[in-house]
Amino acid sequence: MKKCLNDRVFDIISQVGESENTPVYVIGGFVRDVLLNRPSKDIDIVAVGSGIEIAEKVARKLGSNVKVSVFRNFGTAMIRYGDYEIEFVGARKESYREDSRKPIVEDGTLEDDQKRRDFTINALAFSLNKKDFGALLDPFNGENDLKDKIIRTPLEPDQTFSDDPLRMFRAIRFSSQLNFKIEDKTYQSISESKNRTKILSKERIVDEFNKILLSTKPSVGIKALENTGLLKEFFPELQNLKGVEAKDGKMHKDNFYHTVEVVDNVRKKSDDLWLIWAALLHDIAKPKTKKYIKDTGWTFHGHEFLGSKMIPSIFKRLKLPLNEKMKYVQKLVQLHLRPIVLSQDIVTDSAVRRLLFDAGDDIDDLMILCEADITSKNEYTIQKHLNNFRIVREKLVEIEEKDALRNFQPPISGELIIKTFGLDPCKTVGDIKNAIKEAILEGEIRNNYQEAYEFMIKKGEEMGLSPRKL
Ligand code: CTP
């Protein structure tokens, strides 16, 4: 255990603690991650005394260029040293008066401090003190919970969660990231206290949610959010995907479980958060577009367009960025059926050209999403689709080489059309430009200046225009 504390910085913290007569410990995520063999650069130090004073003395000993940032209001201080970010705090204790739910926070022992932490696996500490340097201090059996892969609160879960309701999301996030089980009583408490999450800022919730999306199997966390009722509180649109309906013996699939499967599939191929968001939202408008048509069955006509339109308000409410990341998600949601439609039919060059034109640089991501979207239980159907997607991919490469449509720039400018036919700026210019683009996409001409120029002259003449002598 001591090996991970070999770094000079721990030695210096230990010396300062000794000379100040203040016991010092590493606590929380760093200890957990060491025991899990996960490298970590965020170090939390608890001092049984003033964390700020220890930090200032440690910084001085580390060197004149080491700065300490002090946050007096919170009683904390932070030092950046090499790759490390080291946060210092004094050990605290919380006690409750009978007449108030608001805790009184005062100085405490190490164990007092460990008690007020979120989970047993995050309440572990290493001693940095001379007498037992490197010893693991584990009053709540966190080490066992790490071995048994269990998330559990050190105190009664209701109390731990009422201290900070974000911990309910953190429990699910850690269980998803680490593939741990949330202990029954802790899980039960989340289900019962979910309405307390209303007071949390959307930023804090979404921060945890994004970590769930980036975990190896996001469905673990998303299903737990649904199951405990947290999802309904902050993301009703996703919750609304759940459920099935049957008419005339015909049933549609449960779009919630389908969606989480698609998210898992995308996550296997990519760690791009926004591609994962696109997977999460690809069918978001299905409940709103659902119709039952006799003889046809269930339809969700236009869900890709409506879904894309719903995204700005969802992003705004969840305080996600309203920038090109959002536009990218909208674009993928809007286009997510195109390769499927294409692969159900004979894959024509012109359809592939149009897809490439519309998707641009995002074509590869779109293909990942579409392949992930095949969640049929029927192996034959899966293989048929995958095979067609393979043909689409081959054609994409072939057409890309021939026509360079990925970032289409019109080979003939509006100005050249004006000059060639002696026109004023008018609708005809746009019509000719569009006709050139269509001819390229249909494969009538190739995407180069010469062929486009000849096509322009022919088109202009068809429209009664004659080229001026230049
Ligand atoms: N903590 C807590 N309650 C919270 C947040 C944090 O008790 N709502 C405690 C835990 O002991 C945690 C430590 O503060 O280990 C540091 O928190 P943070 O840096 O947010 O999380 P880590 O556990 O280090 O994990 P990660 O870096 O993955 O967020």
Side-chain angles (χ1 to χ4, degrees):
M1 219 49 63
K2 286 184 188 156
K3 210 167 128 246
C4 65
L5 304 176
N6 265 351
D7 203 288
R8 174 175 170 250
V9 76
F10 293 110
D11 220 25
I12 291 185
I13 299 171
S14 174
Q15 285 167 25
V16 171
E18 191 72 19
S19 64
E20 294 301 304
N21 211 4
T22 303
V24 276
Y25 304 88
V26 193
I27 194 160
F30 182 86
V31 182
R32 175 200 68 219
D33 288 344
V34 165
L35 297 174
L36 286 174
N37 271 327
R38 298 198 322 168
S40 170
K41 294 289 170 197
D42 287 342
I43 305 173
D44 288 312
I45 303 289
V46 159
V48 186
S50 165
I52 296 178
E53 270 171 38
I54 298 287
E56 284 169 337
K57 295 202 162 110
V58 167
R60 231 170 289 149
K61 263 198 155 189
L62 283 171
S64 55
N65 56 343
V66 177
K67 298 263 169 309
V68 46
S69 320
V70 175
F71 309 96
R72 288 216 184 270
N73 289 350
F74 299 99
T76 64
M78 201 264 284
I79 294 177
R80 271 184 224 284
Y81 179 68
D83 291 342
Y84 290 128
E85 202 170 277
I86 315 168
E87 186 147 340
F88 294 77
V89 65
R92 287 177 232 190
K93 167 182 175 178
E94 272 166 21
S95 49
Y96 290 83
R97 283 199 314 255
E98 260 182 24
D99 56 342
S100 164
R101 283 202 53 247
K102 214 169 146 27
I104 309 162
V105 182
E106 52 198 343
D107 293 347
T109 62
L110 172 69
E111 195 165 330
D112 290 331
D113 198 279
Q114 287 172 299
K115 259 191 215 155
R116 37 183 295 278
R117 294 190 172 255
D118 51 3
F119 307 114
T120 58
I121 60 164
N122 287 344
L124 295 154
F126 284 137
S127 165
L128 295 180
N129 306 303
K130 207 167 161 193
K131 68 171 175 36
D132 58 351
F133 188 92
L136 181 68
L137 301 151
D138 179 15
F140 306 106
N141 287 324
E143 195 182 16
N144 274 347
D145 284 345
L146 272 183
K147 282 198 194 109
D148 298 341
K149 297 176 164 262
I150 286 181
I151 310 282
R152 180 203 317 268
T153 53
L155 303 177
E156 278 300 304
D158 288 354
Q159 181 171 339
T160 300
F161 292 140
S162 94
D163 287 350
D164 179 2
L166 187 75
R167 289 169 169 175
M168 295 187 245
F169 284 94
R170 283 173 62 88
I172 292 172
R173 185 259 284 190
F174 282 118
S175 89
S176 197
Q177 272 182 334
L178 303 171
N179 202 13
F180 277 27
K181 187 178 176 305
I182 302 174
E183 174 259 345
D184 288 348
K185 223 164 123 191
T186 306
Y187 198 86
Q188 185 67 24
S189 172
I190 299 176
S191 309
E192 282 160 13
S193 328
K194 56 185 181 284
N195 55 349
R196 298 231 186 93
T197 59
K198 282 196 172 64
I199 60 162
L200 295 168
S201 76
K202 291 288 183 297
E203 285 90 340
R204 291 183 82 205
I205 294 179
V206 167
D207 218 35
E208 293 300 324
F209 188 58
N210 282 343
K211 286 180 183 169
I212 291 173
L213 292 182
L214 287 171
S215 59
T216 331
K217 205 172 172 207
S219 61
V220 172
I222 307 173
K223 284 184 196 167
L225 288 173
E226 197 282 322
N227 207 266
T228 50
L230 293 188
L231 188 69
K232 202 172 172 186
E233 298 290 325
F234 85 103
F235 207 156
E237 298 89 344
L238 202 56
Q239 174 72 47
N240 290 344
L241 291 177
K242 197 173 170 220
V244 289
E245 213 177 320
K247 257 187 195 159
D248 303 338
K250 285 184 187 146
M251 194 156 85
H252 66 77
K253 68 178 158 199
D254 185 308
N255 289 306
F256 175 76
Y257 291 109
H258 164 70
T259 293
V260 293
E261 204 177 331
V262 177
V263 170
D264 277 353
N265 290 345
V266 165
R267 180 64 189 93
K268 279 182 213 146
K269 295 277 162 67
S270 168
D271 58 4
D272 180 331
L273 179 64
W274 305 108
L275 178 52
I276 301 168
W277 265 99
L280 189 74
L281 296 175
H282 79 285
D283 278 347
I284 201 71
K286 276 202 165 168
K288 286 196 176 173
T289 52
K290 182 163 104 172
K291 268 207 188 88
Y292 182 78
I293 301 172
K294 222 172 166 36
D295 300 330
T296 310
W298 294 100
T299 67
F300 303 91
H301 189 68
H303 74 273
E304 69 280 27
F305 293 105
L306 185 62
S308 168
K309 283 207 185 107
M310 285 166 70
I311 289 169
S313 63
I314 293 175
F315 267 48
K316 194 161 176 228
R317 196 189 68 235
L318 295 179
K319 303 279 192 290
L320 285 161
L322 304 173
N323 56 15
E324 73 286 354
K325 301 291 181 206
M326 181 186 84
K327 293 207 178 102
Y328 161 88
V329 176
Q330 283 188 282
K331 180 173 165 184
L332 290 197
V333 170
Q334 181 165 337
L335 293 177
H336 84 267
L337 292 181
R338 289 274 294 277
I340 299 171
V341 172
L342 210 133
S343 72
Q344 275 162 352
D345 222 330
I346 297 162
V347 185
T348 66
D349 280 14
S350 65
V352 174
R353 254 187 234 107
R354 282 181 189 282
L355 180 64
L356 197 51
F357 176 77
D358 290 332
D361 271 342
D362 301 321
I363 186 72
D364 299 323
D365 291 354
L366 181 65
M367 293 305 291
I368 292 179
L369 173 60
C370 294
E371 282 166 357
D373 200 8
I374 313 165
T375 62
S376 165
K377 297 272 172 288
N378 181 333
E379 194 53 34
Y380 171 76
T381 312
I382 295 179
Q383 285 315 321
K384 192 181 87 189
H385 276 99
L386 287 179
N387 196 38
N388 280 346
F389 278 140
R390 196 181 40 77
I391 299 172
V392 174
R393 278 183 185 274
E394 281 166 10
K395 276 218 186 300
L396 279 167
V397 174
E398 190 189 306
I399 283 169
E400 173 68 359
E401 273 170 14
K402 256 195 335 212
D403 286 340
L405 279 168
R406 200 176 263 243
N407 284 310
F408 181 78
Q409 295 294 336
I412 298 290
S413 69
E415 263 167 51
L416 185 64
I417 300 170
I418 289 174
K419 217 162 105 189
T420 307
F421 296 110
L423 295 168
D424 289 325
C426 61
K427 184 173 170 291
T428 311
V429 180
D431 290 345
I432 295 176
K433 230 177 134 181
N434 199 36
I436 297 170
K437 184 189 92 186
E438 285 296 315
I440 294 170
L441 292 177
E442 281 304 311
E444 284 172 42
I445 59 169
R446 281 183 303 173
N447 184 18
N448 64 45
Y449 178 82
Q450 195 52 40
E451 291 191 31
Y453 187 85
E454 282 161 22
F455 181 87
M456 169 186 72
I457 301 290
K458 192 175 101 205
K459 190 77 200 167
E461 283 171 347
E462 274 170 27
M463 293 167 91
L465 303 171
S466 38
R468 287 195 315 176
K469 301 242 170 329
L470 299 173

